[in-house]
mmCIF file of all heavy atoms in Angstrom:
data_model
loop_
_atom_site.group_PDB
_atom_site.id
_atom_site.type_symbol
_atom_site.label_atom_id
_atom_site.label_comp_id
_atom_site.label_asym_id
_atom_site.label_seq_id
_atom_site.Cartn_x
_atom_site.Cartn_y
_atom_site.Cartn_z
ATOM 1 N N TYR U 200 52.351 0.569 -20.136
ATOM 2 C CA TYR U 200 53.765 0.597 -20.531
ATOM 3 C C TYR U 200 54.586 1.554 -19.680
ATOM 4 O O TYR U 200 55.803 1.550 -19.742
ATOM 5 C CB TYR U 200 53.891 0.994 -22.007
ATOM 6 C CG TYR U 200 53.750 2.483 -22.255
ATOM 7 C CD1 TYR U 200 54.860 3.280 -22.492
ATOM 8 C CD2 TYR U 200 52.511 3.105 -22.246
ATOM 9 C CE1 TYR U 200 54.745 4.642 -22.717
ATOM 10 C CE2 TYR U 200 52.380 4.460 -22.473
ATOM 11 C CZ TYR U 200 53.497 5.219 -22.709
ATOM 12 O OH TYR U 200 53.367 6.559 -22.922
ATOM 13 N N ASP U 201 53.929 2.382 -18.855
ATOM 14 C CA ASP U 201 54.653 3.429 -18.127
ATOM 15 C C ASP U 201 54.171 3.492 -16.681
ATOM 16 O O ASP U 201 53.859 4.553 -16.159
ATOM 17 C CB ASP U 201 54.444 4.772 -18.826
ATOM 18 C CG ASP U 201 55.416 5.849 -18.339
ATOM 19 O OD1 ASP U 201 56.475 5.485 -17.800
ATOM 20 O OD2 ASP U 201 55.105 7.040 -18.481
ATOM 21 N N PHE U 202 54.094 2.331 -16.025
ATOM 22 C CA PHE U 202 53.575 2.258 -14.664
ATOM 23 C C PHE U 202 54.446 3.056 -13.706
ATOM 24 O O PHE U 202 55.666 2.955 -13.713
ATOM 25 C CB PHE U 202 53.513 0.797 -14.211
ATOM 26 C CG PHE U 202 53.192 0.635 -12.743
ATOM 27 C CD1 PHE U 202 51.979 1.073 -12.237
ATOM 28 C CD2 PHE U 202 54.109 0.054 -11.891
ATOM 29 C CE1 PHE U 202 51.689 0.929 -10.889
ATOM 30 C CE2 PHE U 202 53.828 -0.102 -10.543
ATOM 31 C CZ PHE U 202 52.611 0.337 -10.038
ATOM 32 N N ARG U 203 53.774 3.874 -12.859
ATOM 33 C CA ARG U 203 54.484 4.667 -11.859
ATOM 34 C C ARG U 203 53.826 4.408 -10.500
ATOM 35 O O ARG U 203 52.666 4.789 -10.296
ATOM 36 C CB ARG U 203 54.416 6.158 -12.201
ATOM 37 C CG ARG U 203 54.987 6.453 -13.578
ATOM 38 C CD ARG U 203 55.142 7.922 -13.833
ATOM 39 N NE ARG U 203 55.587 8.160 -15.200
ATOM 40 C CZ ARG U 203 56.257 9.238 -15.580
ATOM 41 N NH1 ARG U 203 56.579 10.153 -14.713
ATOM 42 N NH2 ARG U 203 56.616 9.394 -16.845
ATOM 43 N N PRO U 204 54.555 3.773 -9.571
ATOM 44 C CA PRO U 204 53.956 3.422 -8.274
ATOM 45 C C PRO U 204 53.345 4.606 -7.538
ATOM 46 O O PRO U 204 52.371 4.435 -6.794
ATOM 47 C CB PRO U 204 55.151 2.837 -7.495
ATOM 48 C CG PRO U 204 56.062 2.311 -8.550
ATOM 49 C CD PRO U 204 55.934 3.267 -9.702
ATOM 50 N N SER U 205 53.893 5.808 -7.729
ATOM 51 C CA SER U 205 53.364 6.981 -7.024
ATOM 52 C C SER U 205 51.907 7.249 -7.372
ATOM 53 O O SER U 205 51.174 7.864 -6.586
ATOM 54 C CB SER U 205 54.213 8.216 -7.344
ATOM 55 O OG SER U 205 54.248 8.458 -8.740
ATOM 56 N N TYR U 206 51.459 6.771 -8.541
ATOM 57 C CA TYR U 206 50.065 6.979 -8.938
ATOM 58 C C TYR U 206 49.093 6.194 -8.054
ATOM 59 O O TYR U 206 47.904 6.540 -7.968
ATOM 60 C CB TYR U 206 49.867 6.580 -10.406
ATOM 61 C CG TYR U 206 49.916 7.749 -11.355
ATOM 62 C CD1 TYR U 206 51.086 8.464 -11.544
ATOM 63 C CD2 TYR U 206 48.796 8.150 -12.063
ATOM 64 C CE1 TYR U 206 51.141 9.537 -12.412
ATOM 65 C CE2 TYR U 206 48.832 9.223 -12.933
ATOM 66 C CZ TYR U 206 50.014 9.917 -13.095
ATOM 67 O OH TYR U 206 50.055 10.992 -13.953
ATOM 68 N N LEU U 207 49.573 5.141 -7.405
ATOM 69 C CA LEU U 207 48.687 4.325 -6.582
ATOM 70 C C LEU U 207 48.178 5.090 -5.364
ATOM 71 O O LEU U 207 47.159 4.710 -4.773
ATOM 72 C CB LEU U 207 49.409 3.050 -6.145
ATOM 73 C CG LEU U 207 49.831 2.109 -7.285
ATOM 74 C CD1 LEU U 207 50.613 0.929 -6.735
ATOM 75 C CD2 LEU U 207 48.616 1.623 -8.076
ATOM 76 N N THR U 208 48.870 6.175 -4.978
ATOM 77 C CA THR U 208 48.427 6.957 -3.826
ATOM 78 C C THR U 208 47.182 7.785 -4.136
ATOM 79 O O THR U 208 46.555 8.321 -3.218
ATOM 80 C CB THR U 208 49.543 7.904 -3.352
ATOM 81 O OG1 THR U 208 49.910 8.779 -4.436
ATOM 82 C CG2 THR U 208 50.775 7.129 -2.923
ATOM 83 N N ILE U 209 46.805 7.885 -5.405
ATOM 84 C CA ILE U 209 45.621 8.675 -5.762
ATOM 85 C C ILE U 209 44.378 8.069 -5.129
ATOM 86 O O ILE U 209 43.453 8.789 -4.712
ATOM 87 C CB ILE U 209 45.466 8.764 -7.292
ATOM 88 C CG1 ILE U 209 46.687 9.460 -7.903
ATOM 89 C CG2 ILE U 209 44.198 9.519 -7.671
ATOM 90 C CD1 ILE U 209 46.710 9.458 -9.418
ATOM 91 N N ALA U 210 44.333 6.731 -5.033
ATOM 92 C CA ALA U 210 43.183 6.084 -4.396
ATOM 93 C C ALA U 210 43.045 6.535 -2.942
ATOM 94 O O ALA U 210 41.922 6.687 -2.433
ATOM 95 C CB ALA U 210 43.323 4.562 -4.483
ATOM 96 N N ASP U 211 44.178 6.763 -2.260
ATOM 97 C CA ASP U 211 44.126 7.245 -0.875
ATOM 98 C C ASP U 211 43.584 8.666 -0.811
ATOM 99 O O ASP U 211 42.861 9.019 0.128
ATOM 100 C CB ASP U 211 45.521 7.189 -0.238
ATOM 101 C CG ASP U 211 46.074 5.775 -0.174
ATOM 102 O OD1 ASP U 211 45.263 4.831 -0.036
ATOM 103 O OD2 ASP U 211 47.308 5.605 -0.277
ATOM 104 N N ILE U 212 43.948 9.484 -1.779
ATOM 105 C CA ILE U 212 43.444 10.859 -1.820
ATOM 106 C C ILE U 212 41.928 10.862 -1.997
ATOM 107 O O ILE U 212 41.218 11.702 -1.428
ATOM 108 C CB ILE U 212 44.142 11.652 -2.950
ATOM 109 C CG1 ILE U 212 45.639 11.778 -2.671
ATOM 110 C CG2 ILE U 212 43.507 13.029 -3.131
ATOM 111 C CD1 ILE U 212 45.969 12.487 -1.380
ATOM 112 N N ARG U 213 41.426 9.921 -2.770
ATOM 113 C CA ARG U 213 39.973 9.838 -2.959
ATOM 114 C C ARG U 213 39.251 9.616 -1.634
ATOM 115 O O ARG U 213 38.129 10.097 -1.429
ATOM 116 C CB ARG U 213 39.612 8.707 -3.921
ATOM 117 C CG ARG U 213 40.022 8.940 -5.342
ATOM 118 C CD ARG U 213 39.020 8.337 -6.311
ATOM 119 N NE ARG U 213 37.738 9.027 -6.297
ATOM 120 C CZ ARG U 213 36.694 8.692 -7.056
ATOM 121 N NH1 ARG U 213 36.776 7.666 -7.861
ATOM 122 N NH2 ARG U 213 35.569 9.356 -7.000
ATOM 123 N N LYS U 214 39.882 8.879 -0.720
ATOM 124 C CA LYS U 214 39.254 8.637 0.588
ATOM 125 C C LYS U 214 39.138 9.927 1.388
ATOM 126 O O LYS U 214 38.217 10.088 2.196
ATOM 127 C CB LYS U 214 40.064 7.599 1.362
ATOM 128 C CG LYS U 214 40.086 6.220 0.710
ATOM 129 C CD LYS U 214 41.032 5.276 1.433
ATOM 130 C CE LYS U 214 41.134 3.946 0.699
ATOM 131 N NZ LYS U 214 42.143 3.038 1.328
ATOM 132 N N LEU U 215 40.089 10.856 1.186
ATOM 133 C CA LEU U 215 40.023 12.148 1.868
ATOM 134 C C LEU U 215 38.970 13.061 1.245
ATOM 135 O O LEU U 215 38.493 13.996 1.895
ATOM 136 C CB LEU U 215 41.386 12.848 1.815
ATOM 137 C CG LEU U 215 42.571 12.132 2.477
ATOM 138 C CD1 LEU U 215 43.849 12.947 2.284
ATOM 139 C CD2 LEU U 215 42.299 11.905 3.950
ATOM 140 N N LEU U 216 38.626 12.793 -0.021
ATOM 141 C CA LEU U 216 37.668 13.643 -0.755
ATOM 142 C C LEU U 216 36.574 12.757 -1.356
ATOM 143 O O LEU U 216 36.457 12.630 -2.575
ATOM 144 C CB LEU U 216 38.392 14.402 -1.872
ATOM 145 C CG LEU U 216 39.580 15.279 -1.450
ATOM 146 C CD1 LEU U 216 40.381 15.704 -2.665
ATOM 147 C CD2 LEU U 216 39.089 16.501 -0.680
ATOM 148 N N PRO U 217 35.753 12.120 -0.512
ATOM 149 C CA PRO U 217 34.791 11.134 -1.026
ATOM 150 C C PRO U 217 33.742 11.714 -1.967
ATOM 151 O O PRO U 217 33.176 10.980 -2.784
ATOM 152 C CB PRO U 217 34.141 10.589 0.258
ATOM 153 C CG PRO U 217 34.369 11.654 1.292
ATOM 154 C CD PRO U 217 35.666 12.286 0.948
ATOM 155 N N GLU U 218 33.493 13.009 -1.886
ATOM 156 C CA GLU U 218 32.459 13.618 -2.729
ATOM 157 C C GLU U 218 32.993 14.088 -4.078
ATOM 158 O O GLU U 218 32.217 14.362 -4.995
ATOM 159 C CB GLU U 218 31.824 14.817 -1.999
ATOM 160 C CG GLU U 218 31.213 14.481 -0.650
ATOM 161 C CD GLU U 218 30.121 13.427 -0.780
ATOM 162 O OE1 GLU U 218 29.334 13.500 -1.746
ATOM 163 O OE2 GLU U 218 30.066 12.531 0.076
ATOM 164 N N ALA U 219 34.288 14.202 -4.199
ATOM 165 C CA ALA U 219 34.872 14.766 -5.425
ATOM 166 C C ALA U 219 34.974 13.700 -6.512
ATOM 167 O O ALA U 219 35.608 12.660 -6.298
ATOM 168 C CB ALA U 219 36.247 15.352 -5.136
ATOM 169 N N PRO U 220 34.375 13.924 -7.687
ATOM 170 C CA PRO U 220 34.518 12.962 -8.790
ATOM 171 C C PRO U 220 35.920 13.005 -9.376
ATOM 172 O O PRO U 220 36.687 13.943 -9.126
ATOM 173 C CB PRO U 220 33.481 13.435 -9.811
ATOM 174 C CG PRO U 220 33.311 14.893 -9.532
ATOM 175 C CD PRO U 220 33.521 15.065 -8.053
ATOM 176 N N VAL U 221 36.248 11.985 -10.151
ATOM 177 C CA VAL U 221 37.572 11.872 -10.777
ATOM 178 C C VAL U 221 37.426 11.904 -12.294
ATOM 179 O O VAL U 221 36.560 11.226 -12.857
ATOM 180 C CB VAL U 221 38.278 10.572 -10.357
ATOM 181 C CG1 VAL U 221 39.478 10.291 -11.259
ATOM 182 C CG2 VAL U 221 38.760 10.661 -8.923
ATOM 183 N N LEU U 222 38.262 12.698 -12.929
ATOM 184 C CA LEU U 222 38.376 12.696 -14.383
ATOM 185 C C LEU U 222 39.750 12.151 -14.735
ATOM 186 O O LEU U 222 40.775 12.744 -14.395
ATOM 187 C CB LEU U 222 38.221 14.115 -14.949
ATOM 188 C CG LEU U 222 38.545 14.294 -16.443
ATOM 189 C CD1 LEU U 222 37.645 13.408 -17.305
ATOM 190 C CD2 LEU U 222 38.417 15.752 -16.859
ATOM 191 N N ALA U 223 39.790 10.978 -15.366
ATOM 192 C CA ALA U 223 41.052 10.357 -15.783
ATOM 193 C C ALA U 223 41.222 10.538 -17.284
ATOM 194 O O ALA U 223 40.280 10.312 -18.050
ATOM 195 C CB ALA U 223 41.062 8.875 -15.421
ATOM 196 N N LEU U 224 42.418 10.940 -17.708
ATOM 197 C CA LEU U 224 42.679 11.219 -19.115
ATOM 198 C C LEU U 224 43.947 10.504 -19.560
ATOM 199 O O LEU U 224 44.935 10.461 -18.828
ATOM 200 C CB LEU U 224 42.847 12.729 -19.341
ATOM 201 C CG LEU U 224 41.640 13.608 -19.008
ATOM 202 C CD1 LEU U 224 42.035 15.076 -19.003
ATOM 203 C CD2 LEU U 224 40.507 13.371 -20.008
ATOM 204 N N THR U 225 43.914 9.951 -20.758
ATOM 205 C CA THR U 225 45.109 9.327 -21.318
ATOM 206 C C THR U 225 45.018 9.311 -22.837
ATOM 207 O O THR U 225 43.918 9.310 -23.398
ATOM 208 C CB THR U 225 45.311 7.892 -20.795
ATOM 209 O OG1 THR U 225 46.495 7.340 -21.376
ATOM 210 C CG2 THR U 225 44.132 7.006 -21.143
ATOM 211 N N ALA U 226 46.191 9.296 -23.465
ATOM 212 C CA ALA U 226 46.251 9.229 -24.930
ATOM 213 C C ALA U 226 46.640 7.848 -25.410
ATOM 214 O O ALA U 226 46.641 7.592 -26.612
ATOM 215 C CB ALA U 226 47.254 10.252 -25.461
ATOM 216 N N THR U 227 46.973 6.944 -24.482
ATOM 217 C CA THR U 227 47.406 5.607 -24.883
ATOM 218 C C THR U 227 46.909 4.597 -23.867
ATOM 219 O O THR U 227 47.415 4.570 -22.740
ATOM 220 C CB THR U 227 48.946 5.509 -24.950
ATOM 221 O OG1 THR U 227 49.496 6.093 -23.764
ATOM 222 C CG2 THR U 227 49.499 6.218 -26.162
ATOM 223 N N ALA U 228 45.938 3.763 -24.250
ATOM 224 C CA ALA U 228 45.457 2.723 -23.346
ATOM 225 C C ALA U 228 44.814 1.604 -24.150
ATOM 226 O O ALA U 228 43.912 1.849 -24.956
ATOM 227 C CB ALA U 228 44.459 3.296 -22.342
ATOM 228 N N THR U 229 45.279 0.391 -23.923
ATOM 229 C CA THR U 229 44.640 -0.784 -24.516
ATOM 230 C C THR U 229 43.362 -1.073 -23.728
ATOM 231 O O THR U 229 43.169 -0.553 -22.620
ATOM 232 C CB THR U 229 45.572 -1.988 -24.441
ATOM 233 O OG1 THR U 229 45.844 -2.279 -23.058
ATOM 234 C CG2 THR U 229 46.886 -1.718 -25.162
ATOM 235 N N PRO U 230 42.474 -1.920 -24.255
ATOM 236 C CA PRO U 230 41.240 -2.244 -23.515
ATOM 237 C C PRO U 230 41.501 -2.753 -22.100
ATOM 238 O O PRO U 230 40.768 -2.404 -21.168
ATOM 239 C CB PRO U 230 40.587 -3.315 -24.397
ATOM 240 C CG PRO U 230 41.030 -2.962 -25.787
ATOM 241 C CD PRO U 230 42.438 -2.473 -25.631
ATOM 242 N N ALA U 231 42.541 -3.561 -21.903
ATOM 243 C CA ALA U 231 42.846 -4.080 -20.563
ATOM 244 C C ALA U 231 43.250 -2.949 -19.619
ATOM 245 O O ALA U 231 42.867 -2.932 -18.440
ATOM 246 C CB ALA U 231 43.960 -5.120 -20.643
ATOM 247 N N VAL U 232 44.011 -1.994 -20.113
ATOM 248 C CA VAL U 232 44.447 -0.870 -19.291
ATOM 249 C C VAL U 232 43.271 0.042 -18.955
ATOM 250 O O VAL U 232 43.184 0.585 -17.848
ATOM 251 C CB VAL U 232 45.577 -0.085 -19.994
ATOM 252 C CG1 VAL U 232 45.916 1.204 -19.244
ATOM 253 C CG2 VAL U 232 46.819 -0.953 -20.118
ATOM 254 N N VAL U 233 42.335 0.204 -19.882
ATOM 255 C CA VAL U 233 41.125 1.005 -19.630
ATOM 256 C C VAL U 233 40.376 0.462 -18.418
ATOM 257 O O VAL U 233 39.971 1.209 -17.520
ATOM 258 C CB VAL U 233 40.217 1.017 -20.876
ATOM 259 C CG1 VAL U 233 38.838 1.574 -20.528
ATOM 260 C CG2 VAL U 233 40.843 1.847 -21.988
ATOM 261 N N ASP U 234 40.206 -0.849 -18.355
ATOM 262 C CA ASP U 234 39.511 -1.474 -17.220
ATOM 263 C C ASP U 234 40.314 -1.298 -15.933
ATOM 264 O O ASP U 234 39.755 -1.014 -14.863
ATOM 265 C CB ASP U 234 39.273 -2.956 -17.491
ATOM 266 C CG ASP U 234 38.257 -3.202 -18.602
ATOM 267 O OD1 ASP U 234 37.447 -2.294 -18.864
ATOM 268 O OD2 ASP U 234 38.288 -4.293 -19.206
ATOM 269 N N ASP U 235 41.627 -1.450 -16.030
ATOM 270 C CA ASP U 235 42.473 -1.375 -14.843
ATOM 271 C C ASP U 235 42.495 0.039 -14.264
ATOM 272 O O ASP U 235 42.513 0.219 -13.042
ATOM 273 C CB ASP U 235 43.891 -1.827 -15.208
ATOM 274 C CG ASP U 235 44.694 -2.257 -13.988
ATOM 275 O OD1 ASP U 235 44.087 -2.795 -13.040
ATOM 276 O OD2 ASP U 235 45.919 -2.069 -13.984
ATOM 277 N N ILE U 236 42.503 1.052 -15.120
ATOM 278 C CA ILE U 236 42.481 2.447 -14.653
ATOM 279 C C ILE U 236 41.251 2.693 -13.785
ATOM 280 O O ILE U 236 41.336 3.251 -12.685
ATOM 281 C CB ILE U 236 42.496 3.431 -15.847
ATOM 282 C CG1 ILE U 236 43.859 3.416 -16.540
ATOM 283 C CG2 ILE U 236 42.160 4.850 -15.383
ATOM 284 C CD1 ILE U 236 43.889 4.193 -17.842
#
Side-chain angles (χ1 to χ4, degrees):
Y200 79 103
D201 194 22
F202 171 63
R203 302 190 185 205
S205 58
Y206 262 66
L207 297 176
T208 59
I209 299 173
D211 298 329
I212 296 300
R213 291 214 68 180
K214 296 173 185 175
L215 299 178
L216 303 167
E218 303 301 319
V221 166
L222 170 59
L224 298 168
T225 180
T227 47
T229 62
V232 172
V233 167
D234 291 338
D235 201 33
I236 290 171

